[in-house]
Amino acid sequence: MATTHEIKASARNDEGKGASRRLRHTGVVPAVVYGAGQAPQSIQIEHNTILLAAKHEWFFSSVLDLNIDGKVQKVLVRDWQKHPYKLQMLHMDFLRVDENAALRVKVPVHFLNQDKSPAAKTSGVVISHNLTEVEVSCLPKDLPEFIELDLTDLKPGDIVHLSQLKLPKGVEIVALHLGADHDIAVVTANTVKEEVDETPAEGEAAPAPEAPKK
């Protein structure tokens, strides 16, 4: 079970663009929480709280405890708006979670021990991370913050597919329900061949053509 992460917020009654601008000027992020058959609720969160939480990958991929004036709701971050160039979050959307219903969430993949693998120690081998996150389906209580992929035994020429990921109990990869064609590569270890330049270097004479045979 994933670690519990709590985000504190408070309800707000003033809505509209003007109200949102005033909140941002006071260091507060306007937000909305919706879903689970309940009416949407306008809330506000201290900007520093969001800024600190957003530095962690769990903020965008984990079930959060959203504490609104002392009342806790299970939510997921569903959307966010950032300032185009300032380090500022402008708006947040949170989706209420039904603890008895499966949800679909993209979670990050953590690559372990790549530097210890035979592929990493072989000259001319390029290891590519084709996917850095995967969409999973599970109950909220089973949602992992990340999925680990141990690359200790990765060899030149190896391909690690989605179906080879080790998942926690109760967790499934959504793409694998769509057929074998969707079992795509997560990691590849390809050998890159160096191209030989047959053009003579500057100052070198090109080889003389062979004399015709008689």
Side-chain angles (χ1 to χ4, degrees), residues 1-7 58-59 61-65 74-75 140-146:
M1 184 175 177
T3 305
T4 299
H5 302 288
E6 184 177 272
I7 302 296
W58 54 254
F59 182 64
S61 60
S62 300
V63 175
L64 308 174
D65 281 352
K74 298 287 185 181
V75 301
K141 67 180 182 65
D142 297 323
L143 180 64
E145 291 185 8
F146 52 83

Side-chain angles (χ1 to χ4, degrees), residues 88-213:
Q88 182 183 11
M89 196 71 77
L90 301 178
H91 191 272
M92 301 288 304
D93 283 352
F94 296 93
L95 175 67
R96 297 186 187 97
V97 169
D98 182 348
E99 296 189 67
N100 298 312
L103 46 79
R104 291 169 56 161
V105 182
K106 289 184 178 180
V107 298
V109 179
H110 287 185
F111 303 94
L112 307 179
N113 302 316
Q114 176 174 304
D115 58 334
K116 299 178 182 178
S117 69
K121 296 177 181 179
T122 303
S123 177
V125 173
V126 175
I127 299 174
S128 301
H129 298 167
N130 302 309
L131 295 177
T132 57
E133 62 180 13
V134 295
E135 186 178 27
V136 301
S137 173
C138 62
L139 291 174
K141 67 180 182 65
D142 297 323
L143 180 64
E145 291 185 8
F146 52 83
I147 294 173
E148 292 183 342
L149 176 55
D150 191 343
L151 299 177
T152 301
D153 298 323
L154 188 72
K155 300 183 292 297
D158 280 355
I159 301 175
V160 182
H161 292 87
L162 281 174
S163 59
Q164 295 172 268
L165 295 177
K166 294 182 179 180
L167 304 174
K169 184 179 179 180
V171 179
E172 298 178 339
I173 294 177
V174 174
L176 295 181
H177 290 283
L178 303 177
D181 290 344
H182 294 267
D183 188 14
I184 60 178
V186 180
V187 173
T188 56
N190 295 320
T191 301
V192 179
K193 295 182 179 180
E194 294 185 4
E195 294 185 1
V196 178
D197 187 358
E198 298 181 355
T199 304
E202 186 177 351
E204 292 184 6
E210 294 184 5
K213 294 181 179 180

Side-chain angles (χ1 to χ4, degrees), residues 2-64:
T3 305
T4 299
H5 302 288
E6 184 177 272
I7 302 296
K8 291 187 177 181
S10 57
R12 63 184 174 95
N13 296 318
D14 52 341
E15 299 182 16
K17 293 183 178 180
S20 294
R21 281 196 294 269
R22 288 192 294 272
L23 286 175
R24 296 186 191 106
H25 288 155
T26 61
V28 176
V29 180
V32 174
V33 56
Y34 63 94
Q38 302 177 43
Q41 182 181 9
S42 297
I43 61 174
Q44 59 189 38
I45 307 173
E46 292 291 334
H47 187 265
N48 285 343
T49 297
I50 293 294
L51 201 61
L52 290 173
K55 293 180 179 180
H56 302 277
E57 62 185 9
W58 54 254
F59 182 64
F60 300 100
S61 60
S62 300
V63 175
L64 308 174

Side-chain angles (χ1 to χ4, degrees), residues 78-89:
R78 264 301 176 247
D79 196 15
W80 62 93
Q81 297 174 18
K82 297 172 66 177
H83 194 281
Y85 57 88
K86 293 181 181 178
L87 190 61
Q88 182 183 11
M89 196 71 77

